[in-house]
Amino acid sequence: MTPPDIDPDDALLDRIRVAYDTVAEPYADQFADELAQKPLDRALIDGFADQVRATGVDAPVADLGCGPGQVTRHLADRGLPVFGVDLSPEMVRLARERHPGLDFRAGSILGLAVADRSLAGVLSLYSVIHLPRPVLPRALAEFYRVLRPGGILLLAFHVGAGQLHVDTWFDRPVSFDGHLFDPDDVADCLAEAGFEVRVRMRRQPYPGIEAPTERAYLFAHRPAG
């Protein structure tokens, strides 16, 4: 039983942080050029950038769960004023090292150090997969809080039910769970948080370069007004 003075979400975040700190170097090496091998993902990220620009809102964009910063760099190269946030200090260190001149910050998607209604867009590619289903609404509420009215969200996650436990990653000892989600259920959670979901898309994994799970992508926006 968890002692009453320990927040179970804090313990969860600590496990995730330690796992990603442990594998930061090999992870960064493997995923540095991942978008070159994933044309559909590139198109979706570019579509996100186009939608953000179309809002006409002069505000930053956050890449949440940015890891070593490859997607943050992609968005910056497309002219967006973007910054990256990651739970792992080692990932943030590598992102700053590999992408000098960009803004990377350590932080949690369950409590962002970002002002209310201050962002034009939020990109969250697989940053929610380590959250148990009861915790997911807390993250989505944070995304809603930091977006300006009319702001755009692109959310990606693995499709399925239950969770997958990992004890070894990149030949290093870790301990974390990856949670699978039903896209319809996540869309309902987004609606409950206040979002309007505009696009739902699913795809199969890229053979040989991704874990064998189906992926889902949801485009949503915070309604104006």
Side-chain angles (χ1 to χ4, degrees):
M1 182 175 179
T2 303
D5 59 339
I6 297 177
D7 185 336
D9 291 346
D10 289 345
L12 167 69
L13 295 178
D14 283 342
R15 289 195 299 274
I16 299 168
R17 184 183 299 108
V18 169
Y20 277 89
D21 279 348
T22 299
V23 302
E25 289 278 2
Y27 182 103
D29 291 341
Q30 177 165 316
F31 290 102
D33 299 319
E34 67 166 335
L35 291 180
Q37 306 174 71
K38 299 179 179 181
L40 181 57
D41 293 60
R42 283 201 316 273
L44 290 169
I45 294 167
D46 290 345
F48 166 81
D50 289 343
Q51 288 187 63
V52 170
R53 279 191 290 266
T55 68
V57 175
D58 183 18
V61 168
D63 176 13
L64 302 181
C66 65
Q70 70 276 12
V71 175
T72 314
R73 165 55 65 188
H74 186 86
L75 290 171
D77 289 346
R78 275 139 192 82
L80 290 186
V82 61
F83 64 92
V85 178
D86 201 88
L87 185 63
S88 163
E90 274 299 295
M91 287 290 189
V92 171
R93 180 186 67 80
L94 290 172
R96 291 170 176 167
E97 180 181 286
R98 295 179 181 218
H99 306 286
L102 295 186
D103 180 2
F104 294 100
R105 314 169 186 179
S108 165
I109 60 173
L110 297 184
L112 296 164
V114 178
D116 294 357
R117 299 186 172 206
S118 61
L119 302 182
V122 164
L123 184 80
S124 172
L125 302 183
Y126 306 102
S127 66
V128 301
I129 65 171
H130 301 302
L131 302 180
R133 173 60 181 80
V135 182
L136 178 63
R138 182 174 165 188
L140 302 184
E142 272 295 275
F143 299 167
Y144 184 87
R145 178 185 68 80
V146 299
L147 276 172
R148 289 190 175 187
I152 306 297
L153 169 67
L154 173 55
L155 179 68
F157 50 90
H158 297 273
V159 175
Q163 63 194 49
L164 305 172
H165 184 74
V166 178
D167 287 312
T168 304
W169 199 16
F170 294 101
D171 296 321
R172 299 185 180 189
V174 296
S175 180
F176 67 84
D177 296 318
H179 295 269
L180 309 175
F181 296 112
D182 179 338
D184 291 337
D185 181 44
V186 175
D188 288 343
C189 287
L190 285 167
E192 289 170 6
F195 284 100
E196 291 183 7
V197 178
R198 291 182 167 176
V199 176
R200 308 182 195 191
M201 195 196 78
R202 296 164 69 149
R203 72 161 174 84
Q204 296 301 310
Y206 289 100
I209 62 172
E210 289 185 324
T213 54
E214 188 178 7
R215 270 71 171 166
Y217 300 82
L218 303 183
F219 277 96
H221 79 289
R222 175 170 176 161

